[in-house]
Amino acid sequence: QVQLVESGGGLVQAGGSLRLSCTTSGRTISGYHMGWFRQAPGKDREFVAAMSRSGSTVNYADSVKGRFTISRDNAKNTVYLQMNSLKPEDTAVYYCAASTGYYGSNYSIYNYWGQGTQVTVSS
């Protein structure tokens, strides 16, 4: 069983930055593809970014490309999401997820989820 815990959310002004962290317990993350998703009030959960278990492949949603960066430190069992140039429309609960098998942007392939961390961007 993999337990994921997100941290780093908060309130920031438009144009600011935040770095989210996702740490694991119970298993090393090196064996998992990792992803970040977000869900705004009244909206479906949407893909933000993903990184393959090797770290060689990354993908981003068009809405965050060029502003967000996903990275991982397997030695620390931690995945990061660096978010720059934040916009009010980035306001959402951000979730970290781990996939044991497939890699991609579809939330259904992820087996484990964190509890989420709130990111609020004020205009």
Side-chain angles (χ1 to χ4, degrees):
Q1 188 74 9
V2 175
Q3 294 182 324
L4 305 174
V5 179
E6 303 96 336
S7 62
L11 173 64
V12 64
Q13 288 188 330
S17 298
L18 283 174
R19 188 177 79 159
L20 306 183
S21 299
C22 172
T23 60
T24 68
S25 62
R27 295 282 182 92
T28 175
I29 67 167
S30 61
Y32 299 92
H33 303 305
M34 301 299 295
W36 286 95
F37 291 78
R38 66 186 182 186
Q39 188 166 20
K43 295 188 176 181
D44 293 333
R45 190 169 299 192
E46 66 172 353
F47 169 74
V48 175
M51 174 173 276
S52 63
R53 60 170 64 96
S54 69
S56 62
T57 303
V58 295
N59 291 91
Y60 296 95
D62 288 342
S63 58
V64 307
K65 205 170 291 184
R67 300 188 298 122
F68 290 12
T69 303
I70 186 172
S71 61
R72 64 194 296 161
D73 186 337
N74 288 343
K76 295 183 177 180
N77 279 335
T78 302
V79 178
Y80 304 97
L81 185 68
Q82 178 66 44
M83 305 186 296
N84 299 328
S85 302
L86 282 161
K87 305 175 181 179
E89 51 263 44
D90 293 319
T91 296
V93 177
Y94 283 71
Y95 298 90
C96 173
S99 170
T100 59
Y102 296 104
Y103 170 79
S105 61
N106 191 324
Y107 72 89
S108 66
I109 67 175
Y110 290 85
N111 311 94
Y112 303 103
W113 292 83
Q115 82 291 346
T117 185
Q118 176 71 48
V119 171
T120 303
V121 184
S122 63
S123 57

